[in-house]
Coordinates of all heavy atoms in Angstrom, one line a residue:
N1 N 119.5 92.7 80.0 CA 119.5 91.7 79.1 C 118.6 90.6 79.5 O 118.5 90.4 80.7 CB 121.0 91.2 78.9 CG 121.3 90.7 77.5 OD1 120.4 90.5 76.7 ND2 122.5 90.7 77.2
L2 N 118.1 89.8 78.6 CA 117.0 88.8 79.0 C 117.4 87.5 78.5 O 118.1 87.3 77.4 CB 115.7 89.2 78.3 CG 115.3 90.7 78.5 CD1 114.3 91.1 77.4 CD2 114.8 90.9 79.8
C3 N 117.1 86.4 79.2 CA 117.5 85.0 78.9 C 116.3 84.1 79.0 O 115.5 84.2 80.0 CB 118.6 84.5 79.8 SG 120.2 85.1 79.3
A4 N 116.1 83.2 78.1 CA 115.2 82.1 78.1 C 115.9 80.9 77.4 O 116.7 81.1 76.5 CB 113.9 82.5 77.4
A5 N 115.5 79.7 77.8 CA 116.2 78.5 77.3 C 116.0 78.4 75.8 O 117.0 78.1 75.0 CB 115.7 77.3 77.9
A6 N 114.8 78.7 75.3 CA 114.6 78.6 73.8 C 115.4 79.7 73.0 O 115.8 79.4 71.9 CB 113.1 78.7 73.5
A7 N 115.5 80.8 73.6 CA 116.2 81.9 73.0 C 117.1 82.6 74.0 O 116.6 83.4 74.8 CB 115.3 82.9 72.3
P8 N 118.4 82.2 74.1 CA 119.2 82.8 75.2 C 119.3 84.3 75.3 O 119.5 84.8 76.3 CB 120.6 82.2 74.9 CG 120.3 81.0 74.1 CD 119.1 81.3 73.3
N9 N 119.0 85.0 74.2 CA 119.0 86.4 74.2 C 117.7 86.9 73.6 O 117.4 86.5 72.4 CB 120.2 87.1 73.5 CG 121.5 86.8 74.3 OD1 121.6 87.2 75.5 ND2 122.4 86.1 73.7
L10 N 116.9 87.7 74.3 CA 115.7 88.3 73.8 C 115.8 89.8 73.7 O 116.4 90.4 74.6 CB 114.5 87.9 74.8 CG 114.2 86.5 75.0 CD1 113.1 86.4 76.1 CD2 113.7 85.8 73.7
S11 N 115.1 90.4 72.8 CA 115.0 91.8 72.8 C 113.8 92.2 73.7 O 113.0 91.4 74.1 CB 114.7 92.3 71.3 OG 113.4 91.9 71.0
Y12 N 113.8 93.5 74.0 CA 112.7 94.0 74.8 C 111.3 93.7 74.2 O 110.4 93.3 74.8 CB 112.9 95.5 75.1 CG 111.8 96.1 76.0 CD1 111.8 95.7 77.4 CD2 110.9 96.9 75.6 CE1 110.8 96.2 78.2 CE2 109.9 97.5 76.4 CZ 109.9 97.1 77.7 OH 108.9 97.5 78.6
Q13 N 111.3 94.0 72.8 CA 110.0 93.7 72.1 C 109.6 92.3 72.2 O 108.5 91.9 72.3 CB 110.2 94.2 70.6 CG 108.8 94.1 69.9 CD 107.7 94.9 70.5 OE1 107.9 96.1 70.8 NE2 106.6 94.3 70.8
E14 N 110.6 91.3 72.0 CA 110.3 89.9 72.2 C 109.7 89.6 73.5 O 108.8 88.8 73.7 CB 111.5 89.1 71.9 CG 111.9 89.1 70.4 CD 113.3 88.5 70.2 OE1 114.2 88.7 70.9 OE2 113.4 87.7 69.2
L15 N 110.3 90.2 74.6 CA 109.8 90.0 75.9 C 108.4 90.5 76.0 O 107.5 89.8 76.6 CB 110.7 90.7 77.0 CG 110.2 90.7 78.4 CD1 110.1 89.2 78.9 CD2 111.0 91.5 79.3
K16 N 108.1 91.7 75.5 CA 106.7 92.3 75.5 C 105.8 91.3 74.9 O 104.7 91.1 75.4 CB 106.7 93.6 74.9 CG 107.3 94.7 75.8 CD 107.3 96.1 75.1 CE 105.9 96.6 74.9 NZ 105.9 98.0 74.3
D17 N 106.2 90.7 73.7 CA 105.3 89.8 73.1 C 105.1 88.5 73.9 O 104.0 88.0 74.0 CB 105.9 89.4 71.7 CG 105.9 90.6 70.7 OD1 105.2 91.6 71.0 OD2 106.6 90.5 69.7
L18 N 106.2 88.0 74.5 CA 106.1 86.8 75.4 C 105.1 87.1 76.6 O 104.4 86.2 77.0 CB 107.4 86.4 75.9 CG 108.3 85.6 74.9 CD1 109.7 85.4 75.5 CD2 107.7 84.3 74.6
K19 N 105.2 88.3 77.1 CA 104.4 88.6 78.3 C 102.9 88.5 78.0 O 102.1 88.2 78.9 CB 104.7 89.9 78.9 CG 106.0 89.9 79.7 CD 106.3 91.2 80.3 CE 107.4 91.1 81.3 NZ 107.3 91.9 82.4
K20 N 102.5 88.7 76.8 CA 101.1 88.6 76.4 C 100.7 87.1 76.5 O 99.5 86.8 76.5 CB 100.9 89.1 74.9 CG 101.1 90.6 74.8 CD 101.0 91.0 73.4 CE 101.5 92.5 73.2 NZ 101.8 92.8 71.9
A21 N 101.7 86.2 76.4 CA 101.4 84.7 76.5 C 101.6 84.2 77.9 O 101.9 83.0 78.0 CB 102.2 84.0 75.5
N22 N 101.5 85.0 78.9 CA 101.6 84.5 80.3 C 102.9 83.9 80.7 O 103.0 82.9 81.3 CB 100.5 83.5 80.6 CG 99.3 84.2 81.3 OD1 99.4 85.3 81.7 ND2 98.2 83.4 81.4
V23 N 104.0 84.6 80.3 CA 105.3 84.1 80.7 C 105.7 84.8 82.0 O 105.4 86.0 82.2 CB 106.4 84.6 79.6 CG1 107.8 84.4 80.1 CG2 106.1 83.8 78.3
L24 N 106.2 84.1 82.9 CA 106.7 84.6 84.2 C 108.0 85.3 84.0 O 109.0 84.6 83.5 CB 106.8 83.6 85.3 CG 107.3 84.0 86.6 CD1 106.4 85.1 87.2 CD2 107.5 82.9 87.6
H25 N 108.2 86.6 84.3 CA 109.4 87.3 84.1 C 110.0 87.5 85.5 O 109.4 88.2 86.3 CB 109.1 88.6 83.5 CG 110.3 89.5 83.3 ND1 110.2 90.8 83.0 CD2 111.6 89.3 83.5 CE1 111.4 91.4 82.9 NE2 112.3 90.4 83.2
I26 N 111.2 86.9 85.7 CA 111.9 87.1 87.0 C 113.1 88.0 86.7 O 114.0 87.6 85.9 CB 112.3 85.7 87.6 CG1 111.1 84.9 87.8 CG2 113.2 85.9 88.8 CD1 111.4 83.4 88.3
D27 N 113.2 89.1 87.5 CA 114.3 90.0 87.4 C 115.2 89.6 88.5 O 114.9 89.7 89.7 CB 113.8 91.4 87.6 CG 114.8 92.5 87.4 OD1 116.0 92.2 87.6 OD2 114.4 93.6 87.1
V28 N 116.5 89.2 88.2 CA 117.4 88.7 89.2 C 118.4 89.8 89.7 O 119.4 89.5 90.4 CB 118.2 87.4 88.7 CG1 117.2 86.3 88.5 CG2 119.0 87.7 87.5
R29 N 118.1 91.0 89.4 CA 118.9 92.1 90.0 C 118.7 92.2 91.5 O 117.7 91.8 92.0 CB 118.6 93.5 89.3 CG 118.9 93.5 87.8 CD 118.5 94.9 87.2 NE 117.1 95.0 87.2 CZ 116.4 96.1 87.1 NH1 117.1 97.3 87.0 NH2 115.1 96.2 87.1
E30 N 119.7 92.9 92.1 CA 119.5 93.2 93.6 C 118.4 94.2 93.8 O 118.1 95.0 92.9 CB 120.9 93.7 94.1 CG 122.0 92.7 94.0 CD 121.7 91.4 94.9 OE1 121.2 91.5 96.0 OE2 122.1 90.3 94.4
R31 N 117.9 94.2 95.0 CA 116.8 95.1 95.3 C 117.2 96.6 95.2 O 116.4 97.4 94.7 CB 116.2 94.8 96.7 CG 115.4 93.5 96.7 CD 114.8 93.2 98.1 NE 114.0 92.0 97.9 CZ 114.5 90.8 98.1 NH1 115.8 90.6 98.4 NH2 113.8 89.7 98.0
W32 N 118.4 96.9 95.6 CA 118.9 98.3 95.4 C 118.9 98.7 94.0 O 118.7 99.9 93.6 CB 120.3 98.5 96.1 CG 121.4 97.8 95.5 CD1 122.0 96.6 95.8 CD2 122.2 98.3 94.4 NE1 123.0 96.3 94.9 CE2 123.2 97.4 94.1 CE3 122.1 99.5 93.6 CZ2 124.1 97.5 93.0 CZ3 123.1 99.7 92.6 CH2 124.0 98.7 92.3
E33 N 119.2 97.7 93.1 CA 119.2 98.1 91.6 C 117.8 98.4 91.1 O 117.6 99.3 90.3 CB 119.8 96.9 90.8 CG 121.3 96.7 91.0 CD 121.7 95.5 90.3 OE1 121.5 94.3 90.7 OE2 122.4 95.7 89.2
I34 N 116.8 97.7 91.6 CA 115.4 97.9 91.3 C 115.0 99.3 91.8 O 114.4 100.1 91.1 CB 114.5 96.9 91.9 CG1 114.9 95.4 91.5 CG2 113.0 97.2 91.6 CD1 114.7 95.1 90.1
D35 N 115.4 99.6 93.0 CA 115.1 100.9 93.6 C 115.8 102.0 92.8 O 115.2 103.1 92.5 CB 115.6 101.0 95.1 CG 114.8 100.1 96.0 OD1 113.7 99.7 95.6 OD2 115.3 99.8 97.1
R36 N 117.0 101.8 92.4 CA 117.8 102.8 91.7 C 117.4 103.0 90.2 O 117.3 104.1 89.7 CB 119.3 102.6 91.8 CG 120.1 103.6 91.1 CD 121.6 103.4 91.5 NE 122.4 104.4 90.8 CZ 123.7 104.4 90.8 NH1 124.3 103.5 91.5 NH2 124.4 105.3 90.2
F37 N 117.2 101.9 89.5 CA 117.0 101.9 88.1 C 115.6 101.6 87.6 O 115.2 101.8 86.5 CB 117.9 100.9 87.3 CG 119.4 101.1 87.6 CD1 120.1 100.2 88.3 CD2 120.0 102.3 87.1 CE1 121.5 100.5 88.6 CE2 121.3 102.5 87.3 CZ 122.1 101.6 88.1
G38 N 114.7 101.2 88.6 CA 113.3 101.0 88.3 C 113.0 99.5 88.0 O 113.8 98.7 87.7
K39 N 111.7 99.2 88.2 CA 111.2 97.9 88.1 C 110.6 97.7 86.7 O 110.0 98.6 86.1 CB 110.0 97.7 89.1 CG 109.4 96.3 89.1 CD 108.3 96.2 90.2 CE 107.8 94.9 90.4 NZ 107.2 94.2 89.3
I40 N 110.8 96.6 86.1 CA 110.2 96.3 84.8 C 108.8 95.9 85.1 O 108.5 95.0 85.9 CB 111.0 95.1 84.1 CG1 112.5 95.6 83.8 CG2 110.3 94.8 82.8 CD1 113.4 94.5 83.3
P41 N 107.8 96.5 84.4 CA 106.4 96.2 84.7 C 106.1 94.7 84.6 O 106.6 94.0 83.7 CB 105.7 97.0 83.6 CG 106.6 98.1 83.2 CD 108.0 97.5 83.4
E42 N 105.3 94.2 85.5 CA 104.9 92.8 85.6 C 106.0 91.8 85.8 O 105.8 90.6 85.5 CB 104.0 92.5 84.4 CG 102.8 93.3 84.2 CD 102.1 93.2 82.9 OE1 102.3 92.2 82.2 OE2 101.4 94.2 82.5
S43 N 107.1 92.2 86.3 CA 108.2 91.3 86.6 C 108.2 91.1 88.1 O 107.7 91.9 88.8 CB 109.6 91.8 86.2 OG 109.9 92.9 86.9
I44 N 108.8 90.0 88.6 CA 109.0 89.8 90.0 C 110.5 89.8 90.3 O 111.2 89.3 89.4 CB 108.3 88.6 90.6 CG1 108.9 87.3 90.0 CG2 106.8 88.6 90.4 CD1 108.4 86.1 90.8
N45 N 110.9 90.4 91.4 CA 112.3 90.5 91.7 C 112.7 89.4 92.7 O 112.1 89.3 93.8 CB 112.6 91.9 92.3 CG 114.0 92.0 92.8 OD1 114.3 92.4 93.9 ND2 115.0 91.7 91.9
I46 N 113.5 88.5 92.2 CA 114.2 87.5 93.0 C 115.7 87.6 92.8 O 116.1 87.2 91.8 CB 113.7 86.1 92.7 CG1 112.1 86.0 92.8 CG2 114.3 85.1 93.7 CD1 111.6 84.6 92.4
P47 N 116.4 88.3 93.7 CA 117.8 88.5 93.5 C 118.5 87.1 93.2 O 118.1 86.1 93.8 CB 118.3 89.1 94.8 CG 117.1 89.9 95.3 CD 115.9 89.0 94.9
L48 N 119.5 87.1 92.4 CA 120.2 85.9 92.0 C 120.6 85.0 93.2 O 120.4 83.8 93.2 CB 121.4 86.2 91.1 CG 122.1 84.9 90.6 CD1 121.2 84.2 89.6 CD2 123.4 85.4 89.9
G49 N 121.0 85.7 94.3 CA 121.4 84.9 95.5 C 120.3 84.2 96.2 O 120.6 83.3 97.0
E50 N 119.1 84.5 95.9 CA 117.9 83.9 96.5 C 117.2 82.9 95.6 O 116.3 82.1 96.0 CB 116.8 84.9 96.9 CG 117.2 85.9 97.9 CD 116.1 87.0 98.1 OE1 114.9 86.7 97.7 OE2 116.4 88.1 98.6
L51 N 117.6 82.9 94.3 CA 116.9 82.2 93.3 C 116.8 80.7 93.5 O 115.7 80.1 93.4 CB 117.4 82.5 91.9 CG 116.6 81.9 90.7 CD1 115.2 82.6 90.7 CD2 117.4 82.1 89.4
M52 N 117.9 80.0 93.8 CA 117.9 78.6 94.0 C 117.0 78.2 95.1 O 116.2 77.3 94.9 CB 119.4 78.1 94.3 CG 120.3 78.0 93.1 SD 119.9 76.7 91.9 CE 120.6 75.3 92.6
E53 N 117.0 78.9 96.2 CA 116.1 78.6 97.3 C 114.7 78.9 96.9 O 113.8 78.1 97.2 CB 116.5 79.5 98.5 CG 115.7 79.2 99.8 CD 116.1 80.0 100.9 OE1 117.2 80.6 101.0 OE2 115.2 80.2 101.8
A54 N 114.5 80.0 96.2 CA 113.1 80.4 95.9 C 112.4 79.3 94.9 O 111.3 79.0 95.1 CB 113.1 81.7 95.2
L55 N 113.2 78.8 94.0 CA 112.7 77.8 93.0 C 112.5 76.5 93.6 O 111.9 75.6 93.0 CB 113.6 77.7 91.8 CG 113.7 79.0 90.9 CD1 114.6 78.8 89.8 CD2 112.3 79.4 90.4
Q56 N 112.9 76.3 94.9 CA 112.7 75.0 95.6 C 111.7 75.1 96.8 O 111.5 74.2 97.5 CB 114.1 74.5 96.1 CG 115.0 74.2 95.0 CD 116.4 73.7 95.5 OE1 116.5 72.6 95.9 NE2 117.3 74.6 95.6
M57 N 111.1 76.3 96.9 CA 110.2 76.6 98.0 C 108.9 75.8 97.8 O 108.5 75.4 96.7 CB 109.8 78.1 98.1 CG 110.8 79.0 98.7 SD 110.2 80.7 98.6 CE 111.4 81.5 99.6
D58 N 108.2 75.7 99.0 CA 106.9 75.2 98.9 C 106.1 76.3 98.2 O 106.3 77.5 98.4 CB 106.4 75.1 100.4 CG 104.9 74.8 100.4 OD1 104.5 73.6 100.2 OD2 104.1 75.7 100.6
P59 N 105.2 75.9 97.3 CA 104.4 76.9 96.5 C 103.7 77.9 97.3 O 103.6 79.1 96.9 CB 103.4 76.0 95.7 CG 104.1 74.7 95.5 CD 104.9 74.5 96.8
M60 N 103.2 77.5 98.5 CA 102.5 78.5 99.3 C 103.5 79.5 99.9 O 103.2 80.7 100.0 CB 101.8 77.8 100.5 CG 100.6 76.9 100.1 SD 99.2 77.8 99.4 CE 98.6 78.5 101.0
E61 N 104.6 79.1 100.3 CA 105.7 80.0 100.8 C 106.2 80.9 99.7 O 106.4 82.1 99.9 CB 106.9 79.1 101.3 CG 107.9 79.9 102.0 CD 109.1 79.1 102.5 OE1 109.0 77.8 102.4 OE2 110.1 79.7 103.0
F62 N 106.3 80.4 98.5 CA 106.7 81.2 97.3 C 105.7 82.4 97.1 O 106.0 83.5 97.0 CB 106.9 80.4 96.1 CG 107.4 81.1 94.9 CD1 108.8 81.1 94.6 CD2 106.6 81.8 94.0 CE1 109.3 81.7 93.5 CE2 107.1 82.5 92.9 CZ 108.4 82.5 92.7
K63 N 104.4 82.0 97.1 CA 103.3 83.0 96.9 C 103.4 84.0 98.0 O 103.2 85.2 97.7 CB 102.0 82.2 96.9 CG 100.8 83.1 96.9 CD 100.3 83.3 95.5 CE 98.9 84.1 95.5 NZ 98.9 85.2 94.6
E64 N 103.6 83.6 99.2 CA 103.6 84.5 100.4 C 104.8 85.5 100.2 O 104.7 86.7 100.5 CB 103.7 83.7 101.6 CG 103.5 84.5 102.9 CD 103.5 83.7 104.1 OE1 102.6 82.8 104.2 OE2 104.4 83.8 104.9
Q65 N 106.0 84.9 99.9 CA 107.2 85.7 99.8 C 107.3 86.7 98.6 O 107.7 87.8 98.7 CB 108.4 84.7 99.7 CG 109.8 85.4 99.5 CD 110.4 85.7 100.8 OE1 110.1 85.2 101.8 NE2 111.4 86.6 100.7
Y66 N 106.8 86.2 97.4 CA 106.9 87.0 96.2 C 105.6 87.5 95.6 O 105.6 88.1 94.5 CB 107.7 86.1 95.1 CG 109.1 85.8 95.7 CD1 109.4 84.5 96.0 CD2 110.1 86.8 95.8 CE1 110.7 84.2 96.5 CE2 111.3 86.5 96.3 CZ 111.6 85.2 96.6 OH 112.9 84.9 97.1
N67 N 104.5 87.2 96.3 CA 103.2 87.6 95.8 C 102.9 87.2 94.4 O 102.4 88.0 93.6 CB 103.1 89.2 96.0 CG 101.6 89.6 96.0 OD1 100.7 88.8 96.4 ND2 101.4 90.8 95.5
Q68 N 103.3 86.0 94.1 CA 103.1 85.4 92.7 C 103.0 83.9 92.8 O 103.7 83.3 93.7 CB 104.4 85.8 91.9 CG 104.5 85.3 90.5 CD 103.6 86.0 89.6 OE1 103.5 87.2 89.6 NE2 102.9 85.2 88.7
K69 N 102.3 83.3 91.9 CA 102.2 81.9 91.9 C 103.5 81.3 91.5 O 104.2 81.8 90.6 CB 101.1 81.5 90.9 CG 100.9 80.0 90.7 CD 99.9 79.7 89.6 CE 99.9 78.3 89.2 NZ 101.0 77.9 88.4
M70 N 103.9 80.3 92.2 CA 105.2 79.7 91.9 C 105.1 79.0 90.5 O 104.2 78.3 90.3 CB 105.6 78.6 93.0 CG 106.9 78.0 92.8 SD 107.4 77.0 94.2 CE 108.9 76.4 93.7
P71 N 106.1 79.2 89.7 CA 106.1 78.5 88.4 C 106.3 77.0 88.5 O 107.0 76.5 89.4 CB 107.3 79.1 87.6 CG 108.2 79.6 88.7 CD 107.4 79.9 89.9
S72 N 105.6 76.2 87.7 CA 105.9 74.8 87.6 C 107.1 74.6 86.8 O 107.6 75.5 86.1 CB 104.7 74.0 87.1 OG 104.7 74.2 85.6
K73 N 107.7 73.4 86.8 CA 108.9 73.2 86.0 C 108.7 73.3 84.5 O 109.7 73.4 83.7 CB 109.5 71.8 86.4 CG 110.0 71.9 87.8 CD 110.9 70.7 88.2 CE 111.2 70.6 89.6 NZ 112.0 71.4 90.3
S74 N 107.5 73.3 84.0 CA 107.2 73.4 82.6 C 106.7 74.8 82.2 O 106.4 75.0 81.0 CB 106.2 72.3 82.2 OG 105.0 72.4 82.9
D75 N 106.4 75.6 83.2 CA 105.9 77.0 82.9 C 107.0 77.8 82.2 O 108.2 77.7 82.5 CB 105.5 77.7 84.1 CG 104.2 77.3 84.7 OD1 103.4 76.6 84.0 OD2 103.9 77.6 85.9
P76 N 106.6 78.6 81.2 CA 107.6 79.5 80.6 C 108.0 80.6 81.5 O 107.3 81.3 82.2 CB 106.8 80.1 79.4 CG 105.4 79.9 79.7 CD 105.3 78.8 80.7
V77 N 109.4 80.7 81.7 CA 110.0 81.7 82.5 C 111.1 82.5 81.8 O 111.8 81.8 81.0 CB 110.6 81.0 83.8 CG1 111.3 82.1 84.7 CG2 109.6 80.3 84.6
V78 N 111.2 83.8 82.0 CA 112.2 84.6 81.4 C 113.0 85.3 82.6 O 112.3 85.7 83.5 CB 111.7 85.6 80.4 CG1 112.8 86.6 80.0 CG2 111.0 85.0 79.2
F79 N 114.3 85.3 82.5 CA 115.1 85.9 83.5 C 115.7 87.2 82.9 O 116.1 87.2 81.7 CB 116.2 85.0 84.0 CG 115.7 83.8 84.7 CD1 115.7 82.6 84.0 CD2 115.3 83.8 86.0 CE1 115.2 81.4 84.6 CE2 114.8 82.6 86.6 CZ 114.8 81.5 85.9
S80 N 115.8 88.2 83.7 CA 116.6 89.4 83.2 C 117.4 90.0 84.4 O 117.2 89.7 85.5 CB 115.6 90.5 82.8 OG 114.8 91.0 83.9
C81 N 118.4 90.7 83.9 CA 119.3 91.4 84.8 C 119.8 92.7 84.1 O 119.2 93.1 83.2 CB 120.5 90.5 85.3 SG 121.6 90.0 84.0
L82 N 120.9 93.3 84.6 CA 121.4 94.5 83.9 C 122.2 94.2 82.7 O 121.9 94.9 81.6 CB 122.2 95.3 85.0 CG 122.5 96.7 84.6 CD1 121.2 97.5 84.5 CD2 123.4 97.4 85.7
A83 N 123.1 93.3 82.7 CA 124.0 93.1 81.5 C 123.8 91.7 80.9 O 124.4 91.5 79.8 CB 125.4 93.3 81.9
G84 N 123.2 90.8 81.5 CA 123.0 89.4 80.9 C 123.7 88.3 81.6 O 123.4 87.2 81.4
T85 N 124.7 88.7 82.4 CA 125.5 87.6 83.1 C 124.7 86.9 84.1 O 124.7 85.6 84.2 CB 126.8 88.2 83.7 OG1 127.5 88.9 82.7 CG2 127.6 87.2 84.4
R86 N 124.0 87.6 85.0 CA 123.2 87.0 86.1 C 122.0 86.2 85.5 O 121.6 85.2 86.0 CB 122.8 88.0 87.1 CG 124.0 88.5 87.9 CD 123.6 89.6 88.9 NE 123.4 90.8 88.1 CZ 123.0 92.0 88.6 NH1 122.8 92.1 89.8 NH2 122.9 93.1 87.8
S87 N 121.4 86.8 84.4 CA 120.3 86.1 83.9 C 120.7 84.7 83.3 O 119.9 83.8 83.4 CB 119.5 87.0 82.9 OG 120.3 87.4 81.8
K88 N 121.9 84.7 82.7 CA 122.4 83.4 82.2 C 122.6 82.4 83.3 O 122.3 81.2 83.2 CB 123.6 83.6 81.3 CG 123.3 84.1 79.9 CD 124.6 84.2 79.1 CE 124.4 84.7 77.7 NZ 123.7 85.9 77.5
Q89 N 123.2 82.9 84.4 CA 123.4 82.1 85.6 C 122.0 81.6 86.1 O 121.9 80.4 86.5 CB 124.1 82.9 86.7 CG 125.6 83.1 86.5 CD 126.1 83.8 87.7 OE1 126.0 85.0 87.8 NE2 126.8 83.1 88.6
A90 N 121.0 82.5 86.2 CA 119.7 82.1 86.7 C 119.1 81.0 85.8 O 118.5 80.1 86.3 CB 118.8 83.3 86.7
L91 N 119.3 81.1 84.5 CA 118.8 80.1 83.6 C 119.4 78.8 83.9 O 118.8 77.8 83.9 CB 119.1 80.6 82.1 CG 118.7 79.6 81.0 CD1 117.2 79.3 81.0 CD2 119.1 80.2 79.7
G92 N 120.8 78.8 84.1 CA 121.5 77.6 84.4 C 121.0 77.0 85.7 O 120.8 75.7 85.8
F93 N 120.7 77.8 86.8 CA 120.2 77.3 88.0 C 118.9 76.6 87.8 O 118.6 75.5 88.3 CB 120.0 78.5 89.0 CG 121.2 79.1 89.6 CD1 121.2 80.3 90.2 CD2 122.5 78.5 89.5 CE1 122.3 80.9 90.8 CE2 123.6 79.0 90.0 CZ 123.5 80.2 90.7
A94 N 118.0 77.3 87.1 CA 116.6 76.8 86.9 C 116.7 75.5 86.1 O 116.0 74.5 86.5 CB 115.8 77.8 86.1
M95 N 117.5 75.4 85.1 CA 117.6 74.2 84.3 C 118.2 73.1 85.2 O 117.7 71.9 85.1 CB 118.4 74.4 83.1 CG 117.6 75.3 82.1 SD 118.5 75.7 80.6 CE 118.2 74.3 79.6
S96 N 119.1 73.4 86.1 CA 119.7 72.3 86.9 C 118.7 71.8 87.9 O 118.8 70.7 88.4 CB 120.9 72.9 87.7 OG 120.5 73.7 88.8
L97 N 117.6 72.6 88.2 CA 116.5 72.1 89.1 C 115.4 71.4 88.3 O 114.4 71.0 88.9 CB 116.0 73.3 89.9 CG 116.9 74.0 90.9 CD1 116.3 75.2 91.4 CD2 117.2 73.0 92.0
G98 N 115.6 71.3 87.0 CA 114.6 70.5 86.2 C 113.6 71.4 85.5 O 112.7 70.9 84.8
F99 N 113.8 72.7 85.5 CA 112.9 73.6 84.7 C 113.3 73.5 83.3 O 114.4 73.4 82.9 CB 113.0 75.1 85.2 CG 112.3 75.4 86.5 CD1 112.9 75.0 87.7 CD2 111.1 75.9 86.5 CE1 112.3 75.3 88.9 CE2 110.4 76.2 87.7 CZ 111.1 75.9 88.9
S100 N 112.3 73.4 82.4 CA 112.5 73.3 81.0 C 112.5 74.6 80.3 O 112.9 74.7 79.2 CB 111.5 72.3 80.3 OG 110.2 72.7 80.6

């Protein structure tokens, strides 16, 4: 399930359309889930337990850790997980840090 502030629930097709517009897709599942169920193309995996720390990292450290440019607080970001619970938590974390 996928979450974004503008649309708390997105379909897979809506995500595919958003990705064409340079949206950062963060998959908050655990690494073992990615290994077991597969990676969503062009997403980065930041397990929910690491997300608060990751979103507060120095941009250089974020790039080194996740091989991706750190999003600014105004960049479009979409979170996903397996059922939608963790992605909603991730959205709340990001918004509490000032992400719009």
Side-chain angles (χ1 to χ4, degrees):
N1 214 343
L2 312 161
C3 281
N9 291 299
L10 298 173
S11 70
Y12 183 70
Q13 187 57 52
E14 287 169 320
L15 175 64
K16 283 177 69 173
D17 293 343
L18 280 173
K19 283 186 169 217
K20 293 175 191 162
N22 264 352
V23 169
L24 177 63
H25 176 192
I26 299 176
D27 187 335
V28 296
R29 293 179 294 161
E30 296 298 320
R31 288 184 177 86
W32 69 264
E33 292 176 282
I34 304 291
D35 292 342
R36 183 170 178 187
F37 301 112
K39 183 180 189 303
I40 298 171
E42 298 167 26
S43 67
I44 65 168
N45 176 231
I46 305 176
L48 186 63
E50 295 176 21
L51 187 66
M52 284 291 277
E53 183 181 338
L55 293 178
Q56 298 177 79
M57 280 180 171
D58 173 80
M60 295 290 287
E61 188 181 351
F62 186 95
K63 172 97 172 129
E64 192 175 294
Q65 176 89 17
Y66 299 108
N67 200 28
Q68 174 77 41
K69 179 183 168 283
M70 183 170 179
S72 75
K73 294 195 190 289
S74 60
D75 286 344
V77 178
V78 172
F79 298 100
S80 68
C81 64
L82 194 60
T85 303
R86 289 173 287 179
S87 57
K88 282 183 177 57
Q89 285 182 283
L91 178 61
F93 288 165
M95 292 177 82
S96 76
L97 292 172
F99 285 79
S100 56

